């Protein structure tokens, strides 16, 4: 049964489209149930981050269109408009893609570690929705083992590189002295926590941390010597910030053009650096029209990221070798499972044929027919029914010159003959 990885990411789609097709955590269970209801979809998982939305599934051949149509309907897009940005990987290539994603080799920042946790979250959500329970479940478990091996056997994680690290590095380029700057962080997830850590290491002058849940903001503020704010108080303190870094899960912008205009007026038009790491975006796009605002999104971090990517390329090459080997191992396992299924089907057919003919023979004996004649007919019918399909296949193989199948049959027969002689 084919595997497929279908999706879009930072390499194939702009942020405006990525935020449109992003699947919120609260929508994930409903999405997984909808995927399971599609014709030809047997198992499915959804991975949705700021840089990618991907469906991993085990499907019947030809069910790819069902997945594309579902993704289009889910977000009110036409298949044609979405298809331009989508990629598909099938079977062993789908396995390889998932291994590379989990190991950070397909990330905006090469080797970044956060993606592995996001893949685990996607798998757990699929398990909770009972949308993975067979080979796809096994694939995800193997993925975690491969990602761990890549981390252990290479130096891909030797240098601290992440979106948060790149954001702080960009801030340092624009503000040569972070120890003179006030930074406002909006959110309290992994990205903001990493940003707070890097800013603390950079000796930022003042750190404001705003979050919808004040307790979470307070925890981060306590750890890094900052000040916690409730999200509704942002507009009262925004003017204090030289730098704003935002990464929440909000579906609507947190900061509007009007809020920034008010803050700039209070700052007497002293410039502000805004970095929006969220998808969907936390900062309204028209904020970029303001003269004294420098607004960047995750897509603008490419140059900073490129500077750090070189140090990881050699390790990434080693990781690719590990992944190629592990893909071979996993795909060999799936092929073996297919062979096991074929053997089970063959044995099941034999048992069903035997039982049907045996029941017929018992009825004939119960009706007083000659036991010798009944047994002779039973043996004749059983032999014919069991050998009819393979005999026809071998006859056709001989006609078309299929030497491989004929050799396999000869090997099987010689094995049976040796067993009979023992």
């Amino acid at each position: 049964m084919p595997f497929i990885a279908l999706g879009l990411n930072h390499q194939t789609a702009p942020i405006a489209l990525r935020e449109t097709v992003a699947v919120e955590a609260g929508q994930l269970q409903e999405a997984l149930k909808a995927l399971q209801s599609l014709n030809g979809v047997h198992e499915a998982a959804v991975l949705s981050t700021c840089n990618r939305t991907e469906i991993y599934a085990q499907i019947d051949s030809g069910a790819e269109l069902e997945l594309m149509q579902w993704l289009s309907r889910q977000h009110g897009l036409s298949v044609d408009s979405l298809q331009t940005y989508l990629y598909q990987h099938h079977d062993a290539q789908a396995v390889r893609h998932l291994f590379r994603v989990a190991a950070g080799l397909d990330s905006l920042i090469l080797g970044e570690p956060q993606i592995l946790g996001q893949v685990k979250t996607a798998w757990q959500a699929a398990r909770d929705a009972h949308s993975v329970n067979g080979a796809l479940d096994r694939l995800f478990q193997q993925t975690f083992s491969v990602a761990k091996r890549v981390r252990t056997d290479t130096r891909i994680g030797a240098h601290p590189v992440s979106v948060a690290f790149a954001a702080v590095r960009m801030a340092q380029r624009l503000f040569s002295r972070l120890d003179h700057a006030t930074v406002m962080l909006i959110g309290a997830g992994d990205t903001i926590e990493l940003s707070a850590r890097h800013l603390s290491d950079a000796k930022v002058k003042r750190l404001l941390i705003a979050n919808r849940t004040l307790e979470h903001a307070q925890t981060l503020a306590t750890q890094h010597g900052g000040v916690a704010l409730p999200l509704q108080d942002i507009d009262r303190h925004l003017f204090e910030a030289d730098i704003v870094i935002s990464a929440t899960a909000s579906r609507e912008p947190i900061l509007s053009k009007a809020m920034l205009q008010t803050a700039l007026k209070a700052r007497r038009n002293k410039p502000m650096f805004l970095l929006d790491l969220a998808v969907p975006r936390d900062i309204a796009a028209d904020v970029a029209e303001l003269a004294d605002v420098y607004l960047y999104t995750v897509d603008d971090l490419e140059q900073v990221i490129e500077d750090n990517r070189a140090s990881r390329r050699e390790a990434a090459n080693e990781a690719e070798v590990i992944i190629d080997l592990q893909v071979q191992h996993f795909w060999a396992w799936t092929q073996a499972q297919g062979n096991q299924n074929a053997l089970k089907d063959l044995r099941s057919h034999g048992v069903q044929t035997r039982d049907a003919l045996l029941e017929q023979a018992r009825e004939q004996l119960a009706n007083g027919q000659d036991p010798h004649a009944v047994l002779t007919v039973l043996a004749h019918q059983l032999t014919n029914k069991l050998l009819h399909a393979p005999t026809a296949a071998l006859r056709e193989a001989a006609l078309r010159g299929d030497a491989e199948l004929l050799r396999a049959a000869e090997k099987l027969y010689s094995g049976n003959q040796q067993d009979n002689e023992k």
Side-chain angles (χ1 to χ4, degrees):
M1 196 177 298
F3 286 108
I4 185 173
L6 172 75
L8 50 79
N9 63 16
H10 60 281
Q11 296 172 338
T12 69
I15 189 171
L17 181 59
R18 298 204 308 273
E19 65 186 3
T20 299
V21 301
V23 180
E24 291 184 71
Q27 301 173 330
L28 195 51
Q29 291 297 304
E30 182 180 345
L32 290 167
K33 289 176 183 176
L35 282 170
Q36 284 180 281
S37 70
L38 298 178
N39 291 331
V41 177
H42 300 275
E43 295 185 78
V46 175
L47 173 64
S48 187
T49 73
C50 63
N51 284 325
R52 70 183 65 246
T53 294
E54 295 178 331
I55 300 170
Y56 293 91
Q58 194 173 32
I59 62 174
D60 291 335
S61 296
E64 299 92 336
L65 183 58
E66 289 279 341
L67 294 177
M68 282 190 282
Q69 289 175 337
W70 174 84
L71 194 60
S72 300
R73 289 194 307 270
Q74 184 82 353
H75 303 287
L77 302 168
S78 70
V79 173
D80 289 342
S81 65
L82 189 60
Q83 197 166 9
T84 305
Y85 302 97
L86 289 175
Y87 46 81
Q88 293 183 42
H89 302 288
H90 296 268
D91 297 332
Q93 290 305 313
V95 172
R96 186 173 190 273
H97 181 72
L98 181 55
F99 286 175
R100 294 186 77 253
V101 167
L105 298 182
D106 194 59
S107 294
L108 176 63
I109 298 181
L110 186 63
E112 59 96 1
Q114 283 77 30
I115 186 63
L116 178 57
Q118 293 165 329
V119 173
K120 288 182 177 179
T121 299
W123 168 70
Q124 187 59 58
R127 272 198 154 189
D128 293 342
H130 306 292
S131 64
V132 294
N133 50 29
L136 188 62
D137 185 50
R138 173 70 176 262
L139 171 58
F140 271 91
Q141 294 184 57
Q142 183 66 22
T143 296
F144 306 141
S145 175
V146 171
K148 182 178 179 181
R149 183 168 180 181
V150 167
R151 291 277 160 190
T152 302
D153 293 358
T154 74
R155 290 179 56 80
I156 198 162
H159 304 283
V161 179
S162 65
V163 169
F165 179 85
V168 173
R169 180 59 60 86
M170 181 179 279
Q172 286 175 316
R173 287 182 176 180
L174 295 173
F175 290 80
S176 57
R177 296 286 302 273
L178 285 184
D179 56 349
H180 290 178
T182 294
V183 180
M184 176 182 285
L185 300 178
I186 304 176
D190 291 345
T191 298
I192 292 298
E193 184 174 355
L194 282 171
S195 298
R197 188 183 306 168
H198 293 311
L199 288 165
S200 180
D201 292 342
K203 304 283 192 274
V204 66
K205 177 184 176 182
R206 189 164 177 244
L207 195 58
L208 306 175
I209 303 176
N211 190 53
R212 199 174 304 279
T213 304
L214 184 59
E215 292 178 18
H216 296 165
Q218 187 62 62
T219 299
L220 277 181
T222 300
Q223 291 174 350
H224 302 289
V227 176
L229 303 172
L231 198 62
Q232 60 267 29
D233 285 356
I234 283 181
D235 54 348
R236 292 170 49 195
H237 296 273
L238 190 56
F239 76 95
E240 301 173 38
D242 302 302
I243 301 168
V244 177
I245 300 176
S246 187
T248 77
S250 174
R251 295 298 297 182
E252 301 296 330
I254 301 286
L255 299 181
S256 67
K257 185 176 182 179
M259 291 172 67
L260 267 300
Q261 285 175 322
T262 301
L264 286 169
K265 186 176 180 180
R267 289 171 61 83
R268 297 181 181 178
N269 293 319
K270 182 181 177 183
M272 297 177 70
F273 166 62
L274 309 179
L275 187 50
D276 190 348
L277 304 183
V279 177
R281 285 170 284 188
D282 282 340
I283 304 173
D286 59 359
V287 166
E289 299 170 3
L290 298 174
D292 296 305
V293 164
Y294 298 89
L295 174 61
Y296 298 86
T297 70
V298 287
D299 288 355
D300 297 313
L301 294 177
E302 185 64 35
Q303 185 54 53
V304 178
I305 291 163
E306 183 59 35
D307 293 343
N308 295 285
R309 189 175 282 149
S311 63
R312 296 194 171 199
R313 282 193 177 123
E314 184 176 348
N317 290 337
E318 297 172 7
E320 296 283 8
V321 173
I322 293 173
I323 285 174
D324 286 343
L325 181 61
Q326 293 302 316
V327 168
Q328 292 175 24
H329 289 169
F330 183 82
W331 199 245
W333 175 81
T334 62
Q335 298 299 99
Q337 293 302 111
N339 293 338
Q340 289 294 325
N341 291 336
L343 291 173
K344 288 177 183 177
D345 291 343
L346 178 62
R347 179 170 289 276
S348 176
H349 171 69
V351 169
Q352 290 175 11
T353 301
R354 177 202 66 192
D355 290 347
L357 292 176
L358 186 58
E359 181 61 29
Q360 181 180 318
R362 284 171 176 159
E363 290 178 1
Q364 292 169 344
L365 290 173
N367 291 333
Q369 294 188 31
D370 178 27
H372 178 74
V374 170
L375 290 175
T376 300
V377 171
L378 171 64
H380 180 73
Q381 289 181 327
L382 187 60
T383 301
N384 283 345
K385 285 186 176 292
L386 291 180
L387 293 181
H388 172 71
T391 300
L394 287 173
R395 187 180 298 114
E396 183 180 345
L399 289 173
R400 67 172 184 265
D402 188 345
E404 185 177 351
L405 181 57
L406 293 171
R407 281 196 299 269
E410 184 179 353
K411 187 175 181 180
L412 287 171
Y413 175 75
S414 63
N416 290 336
Q417 198 171 42
Q418 290 172 9
D419 290 340
N420 292 334
E421 291 172 357
K422 289 180 181 178

